[in-house]
């Protein structure tokens, strides 16, 4: 569906050349939700804007739905962009137009007749859950409702691809989740390919099938979301994974517990897929002469299954404790000893 080959983007500034995207190869499959995550300045916004030629690459090729985007004539590019919808962090709505008029705007530009415009707008209003708000103006809507209008407008021309440029960054957590649920619903109903950029691993965890991690204009790691959670390779990726699996309060709580000399051996257990539902702690207590205390734990859902991280303390004589740790590893559960070696 989308292929990037040796894509690069260099900006000329008064202080010299700045490389925003550096020699990236990337393939995104039809119908998948693909995330690009990175901190500010990583180059992710420039990357996504090159998919529809809002930014022309300095080097390399961009193909979307079999069409080479760079090098097109202005007319061909306008036609190709109708296959690519885009939503933005700050909505970019027309404030003097109603919800229905905002959604209809791309259809007006395309020259669709009024009757077909009205029919399509009604379909989209229902799809994004804005029934009864078609006559409202953006100033009368909540942030989540504004983004729903933005999504409906982006879908007006039945695109094959939807680009999401930090689409939930301006929203509160509950509203963010509702918008992410809507995107998943749209992906399933329409078979739409969705590419989103974000700096929040929660967004990646909740809806993406695959993810690329960007740093300094390069993709430093990519893969299935569940695999990235399970075995992050790069330091940058590990930082993002910790946003979801190890909140700051977990680290602070564990540091406080380490001051207790009787805490024993502290393990971080990582469960993936069906393993996250297993009664592992019960099995350990039944089979080994050890005491197990659960310090903190969390199970998260990804599009490909469950991911769980559990911190436990095991106390007892060295031999049964070692045997218990060996037993855990034999169950295909990843174990990291973080205290008490």
């Amino acid at each position: 569906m989308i292929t990037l080959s040796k894509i690069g983007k260099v900006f000329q500034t008064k202080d010299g050349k700045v490389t925003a995207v550096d020699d990236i190869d990337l393939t995104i499959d039809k119908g998948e939700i693909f995330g690009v995550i990175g901190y500010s300045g990583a180059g992710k916004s420039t990357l996504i804007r090159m998919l529809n030629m809002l930014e022309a690459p300095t080097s390399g090729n961009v193909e979307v739905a079999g069409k080479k985007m760079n090098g097109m004539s202005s007319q061909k590019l306008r036609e190709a962009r109708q296959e690519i919808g885009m939503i933005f962090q700050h909505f970019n709505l027309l404030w003097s137009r109603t919800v229905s008029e905002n959604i209809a705007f791309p259809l007006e530009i395309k020259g669709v007749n009024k009757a077909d415009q009205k029919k399509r707008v009604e379909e989209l209003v229902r799809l994004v859950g804005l029934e009864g708000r078609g006559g409202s103006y953006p100033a009368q809507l909540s942030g989540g409702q504004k983004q729903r209008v933005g999504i409906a407008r982006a879908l007006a021309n039945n695109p094959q691809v939807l680009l999401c440029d930090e689409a939930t960054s301006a929203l509160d957590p509950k509203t963010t989740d509702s918008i992410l649920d809507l995107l998943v619903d749209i992906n399933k109903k329409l078979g739409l390919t969705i590419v989103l950029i974000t700096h929040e691993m929660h967004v990646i965890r909740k809806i993406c099938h695959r993810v690329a991690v960007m740093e300094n204009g390069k993709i430093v790691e990519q893969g299935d979301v569940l695999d990235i959670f399970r075995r992050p390779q790069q330091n940058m990726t590990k930082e993002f994974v910790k946003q979801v699996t190890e909140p700051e309060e977990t680290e602070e709580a564990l540091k406080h517990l380490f001051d207790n000399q009787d805490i024993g051996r502290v393990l971080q257990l990582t469960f993936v897929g069906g393993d996250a539902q297993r009664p592992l702690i019960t099995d350990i207590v039944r089979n080994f002469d050890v005491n197990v205390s659960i310090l903190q734990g969390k199970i998260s859902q990804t599009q490909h299954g469950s991911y769980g991280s559990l911190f436990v303390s095991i106390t007892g004589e060295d031999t049964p404790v070692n045997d218990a740790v060996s037993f855990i590893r034999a169950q295909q559960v990843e174990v990291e000893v973080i205290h008490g070696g």
Side-chain angles (χ1 to χ4, degrees):
M1 171 55 73
I2 299 172
T3 303
L4 306 182
S5 303
K6 303 297 181 183
I7 282 295
K9 180 64 178 182
V10 178
F11 291 100
Q12 183 66 54
T13 72
K14 62 182 181 181
D15 297 319
K17 293 181 178 180
V18 175
T19 301
V21 174
D22 190 0
D23 198 34
I24 283 179
D25 291 310
L26 184 65
T27 299
I28 298 170
D29 297 329
K30 181 177 175 59
E32 78 171 327
I33 304 177
F34 191 94
V36 180
I37 191 168
Y39 291 123
S40 296
K44 58 189 188 298
S45 289
T46 302
L47 180 69
I48 200 171
R49 288 168 63 86
M50 286 195 288
L51 298 184
N52 59 2
M53 293 293 115
L54 289 179
E55 290 287 356
T58 307
S59 58
N61 295 309
V62 177
E63 284 193 16
V64 180
K67 299 174 183 175
K68 184 178 176 181
M69 300 294 291
N70 42 327
M72 280 186 173
S73 67
S74 298
Q75 177 61 32
K76 291 291 186 182
L77 183 56
R78 282 193 294 271
E79 292 173 2
R81 280 175 173 161
Q82 292 178 5
E83 298 289 325
I84 307 171
M86 191 166 189
I87 57 176
F88 305 88
Q89 178 179 358
H90 296 296
F91 321 125
N92 287 18
L93 301 180
L94 300 169
W95 295 90
S96 61
R97 285 176 169 246
T98 65
V99 166
S100 293
E101 290 167 345
N102 265 281
I103 298 171
F105 187 60
L107 301 172
E108 292 177 23
I109 294 173
K110 192 177 180 180
V112 175
N113 66 63
K114 290 291 186 181
D116 288 341
Q117 282 186 39
K118 185 174 185 295
K119 181 181 178 182
R120 181 61 177 155
V121 168
E122 289 173 352
E123 291 173 355
L124 290 167
V125 165
R126 287 193 299 271
L127 179 65
V128 301
L130 287 174
E131 295 93 332
R133 301 310 301 267
S136 300
Y137 288 89
Q140 298 169 313
L141 303 178
S142 68
Q145 289 171 330
K146 291 172 188 171
Q147 195 56 282
R148 287 172 186 269
V149 177
I151 292 170
R153 182 183 59 186
L155 298 177
N157 283 320
N158 289 300
Q160 296 188 54
V161 177
L162 179 64
L163 307 180
C164 306
D165 187 358
E166 296 277 11
T168 59
S169 295
L171 305 175
D172 62 78
K174 184 176 180 180
T175 305
T176 290
D177 282 345
S178 72
I179 295 297
L180 295 178
D181 289 339
L182 175 60
L183 291 175
V184 171
D185 187 52
I186 289 169
N187 169 256
K188 291 177 178 177
K189 285 181 177 177
L190 305 181
L192 197 65
T193 303
I194 298 177
V195 184
L196 63 86
I197 64 169
T198 183
H199 61 273
E200 300 171 296
M201 200 63 180
H202 164 73
V203 173
I204 301 295
R205 188 270 303 170
K206 187 173 176 65
I207 73 168
C208 292
H209 302 113
R210 291 194 299 140
V211 61
V213 182
M214 283 194 72
E215 183 178 16
N216 297 325
K218 292 182 176 291
I219 291 178
V220 296
E221 189 166 354
Q222 64 174 302
D224 291 343
V225 169
L226 199 57
D227 291 341
I228 292 294
F229 267 78
R230 186 174 187 174
R231 293 190 183 92
Q233 300 299 312
Q234 303 297 320
N235 289 335
M236 177 65 64
T237 312
K238 291 174 183 178
E239 286 183 24
F240 281 121
V241 169
K242 284 178 70 173
Q243 287 183 4
V244 176
T245 61
E246 297 178 44
E248 289 183 11
E249 59 267 23
T250 298
E251 188 174 342
E252 290 301 317
L254 291 176
K255 284 181 180 178
H256 177 71
L257 286 169
F258 292 163
D259 293 335
N260 181 351
Q261 298 303 311
D262 298 325
I263 195 172
R265 202 173 303 184
V266 178
L267 312 177
Q268 180 179 357
L269 312 182
T270 301
F271 306 82
V272 178
D275 291 336
Q277 313 299 328
R278 293 175 51 198
L280 180 64
I281 303 303
T282 301
D283 291 344
I284 296 169
V285 173
R286 283 177 177 171
N287 290 289
F288 302 94
D289 185 20
V290 296
N291 294 314
V292 181
S293 299
I294 296 175
L295 305 178
Q296 184 132 0
K298 184 176 184 179
I299 294 178
S300 299
Q301 295 297 322
T302 75
Q303 288 293 302
H304 287 165
S306 303
Y307 176 92
S309 185
L310 186 67
F311 294 87
V312 301
S313 165
I314 299 183
T315 56
E317 298 295 328
D318 283 346
T319 297
V321 168
N322 290 335
D323 289 344
V325 172
S326 297
F327 171 78
I328 296 170
R329 290 196 168 108
Q331 309 311 305
Q332 306 303 309
V333 175
E334 294 187 24
V335 181
E336 181 181 356
V337 179
I338 61 173
H339 179 75

